[in-house]
Structures are given as structure tokens and as C-alpha cells.
Amino acid sequence: MHNNIFQLIKKVNLQQFITISSPLLLLLLWEICSNTGILDSRFFPPPTLIIHTMFQLGESGELFSHVSISLTRILLGFLLGVIPAICIGLLMGMYKYFRHFFSPIVMIFMPIPTLAMLPIILILFGIGEFSKMVTIAISVFFPVVINTAAGVANIDRIYLDVAKNYQANAKDFFFRIALPGAMPVMLEGIQMGQAIALLTIVAAEMIGANSGIGYLIWMNYKAFLLPEMYVGLILISFFGYIFSIILRGLEAKLLPWK
């Protein structure tokens, strides 16, 4: 018994070591290549310089200002897109009339890149904060609504028959059958949505904002301040990783059998 536990711990530690070592190895190679001239340090400054620049931006307060603005936009836009997407996706999966009504609308608008709709969004909602949240919401909406509807459609038929035999009302069916049954696929859609939200906010802030991480990246690129630009790129990568871990933890809590 003790040997099995010890082997499991060793296996977990090895997996964690491999997971951590790959990005560290990449950063080490980048540092060596940049300092030895294999990479042009003007375009690929060493990670140590980027980290130093990050601390300088943090001390000045500029970094936290951009980060807080972007995170607020991402969080509110994400919720603005995910909540209606889950509701509509569940209804599409549960009722064929809802599915027939919403499916053409989803299929028409889904192929259009969100940024291509940005001029219309700006006309409708102006150039303020809400337009940026709507941009994120639209980009998040489609993967979540499609995955949620697919999750309901793939629920095992036996659960539907049990609900029908026990004459479950619409509320019970919604919360006890449709929502839990769609949860695994729905969470995959939400996971995809958070990645798209990060991509969208950076592009939207590059085009039509005077603050945020995307703005930080774009303005420093135009000024050829590449260490500052890389700070923004690293922050986007970091937050994407953190959001992914949070959603995986949520999935583990909601779906302990997976």
C-alpha cells in the first residue's frame, strides 16, 4: 500500500516537473540565444530584460492600470456572452422549435469574425467601455451556445425517458437533466470562449482604445519599445493560463466523475 502511494507521488511529481520544465527550458534557450547573438536582441530582447521592464512598469503604476482595465472588460464581456449563450443553448437542445428558430441565426453570424463587426458595434454602442464588452460577448457567445446545445442533444436517452416517465416538469428537466447533462460539453465551450475573449480584447484594444494590455502592446510596438511590448504579450499568456486553471478547477468540482 505504502509503495503504491509512493509511486503515485513520484509519478505526479515527475509530471509536474515536466510541465514546469518545458516553458523554463524555452525561456533559458531564449536568454542564451539573445545574449550570444543567435537571436537579434533588438527584436528578441532577453527574458531577464523583459522581466526587469515589467517591474519598472509595475513600480510606475502604468502596468496595473492597463491590467485592471483589460481584466474588467474581459470579465464583464465574458459574463455578458456566456450567460445568454448557456440559456439559449439549453433551450435549443431541449425544444426543437427553439432549435429551428435560433440555428439559422447562429449559423449566419458565427462565420463573421467579431472584429469585422466592430464598426457596427461602434455605431450601435459608441466608443466607450460597453462596446468593448459587447465585442468580447459576441466572440464568446457562439462556441458556448453551440457546445451547450450539443451537450443537451447528446444526453443519454435513458435519462430523458426517466424524466418523461416520472412526468418531470420543465423546471426539473432544465435543472436536473439538461443542465447537468450538458455540463461537460458546455464547460469545454466556456474554456474555448475564455481563450477567444483574450484574443478579442487584445485586438479590440489595439484598434479602438487608449488603455488596456492590447493598447500597451500596440503603442510600444509602434514606438519600437519591444521589451514593453513583450511584457504585454507575456501578461496575455499568463492570464490565459490562469483562467484555464480556474476553469479546470471548476470543472473538477462540478464534474468529479471526469
Side-chain angles (χ1 to χ4, degrees), residues 73-232:
R73 290 167 178 164
I74 291 169
L75 178 60
L76 296 179
F78 185 75
L79 293 175
L80 189 64
V82 165
I83 293 172
I86 291 174
C87 296
I88 293 173
L90 289 172
L91 291 172
M92 287 174 64
M94 290 168 58
Y95 305 110
K96 62 180 180 180
Y97 295 113
F98 274 94
R99 184 164 59 252
H100 291 316
F101 180 80
F102 282 107
S103 288
I105 299 174
V106 172
M107 293 301 109
I108 288 169
F109 286 102
M110 186 179 66
I112 303 175
T114 307
L115 294 179
M117 299 178 67
L118 191 56
I120 299 173
I121 295 170
L122 293 175
I123 290 170
L124 293 174
F125 302 104
I127 59 173
E129 292 299 306
F130 189 65
S131 62
K132 298 171 184 63
M133 297 174 195
V134 170
T135 305
I136 296 170
I138 292 172
S139 66
V140 169
F141 176 84
F142 292 106
V144 177
V145 73
I146 290 170
N147 277 44
T148 303
V152 177
N154 291 326
I155 293 175
D156 197 325
R157 186 72 194 176
I158 190 171
Y159 297 112
L160 304 180
D161 292 337
V162 168
K164 187 176 180 180
N165 290 336
Y166 280 92
Q167 298 180 336
N169 57 38
K171 179 182 175 183
D172 288 335
F173 185 82
F174 188 92
F175 287 105
R176 298 193 177 189
I177 303 293
L179 184 58
M183 193 74 72
V185 183
M186 183 179 74
L187 286 174
E188 290 299 325
I190 293 174
Q191 184 79 259
M192 192 186 309
Q194 66 87 14
I196 294 172
L198 286 168
L199 294 172
T200 304
I201 189 59
V202 170
E205 288 175 344
M206 285 181 176
I207 295 170
N210 56 9
S211 59
I213 298 174
Y215 174 81
L216 175 71
I217 294 170
W218 184 244
M219 294 307 295
N220 284 302
Y221 162 73
K222 289 173 70 176
F224 206 70
L225 299 172
L226 296 191
E228 287 82 352
M229 182 196 76
Y230 278 105
V231 169

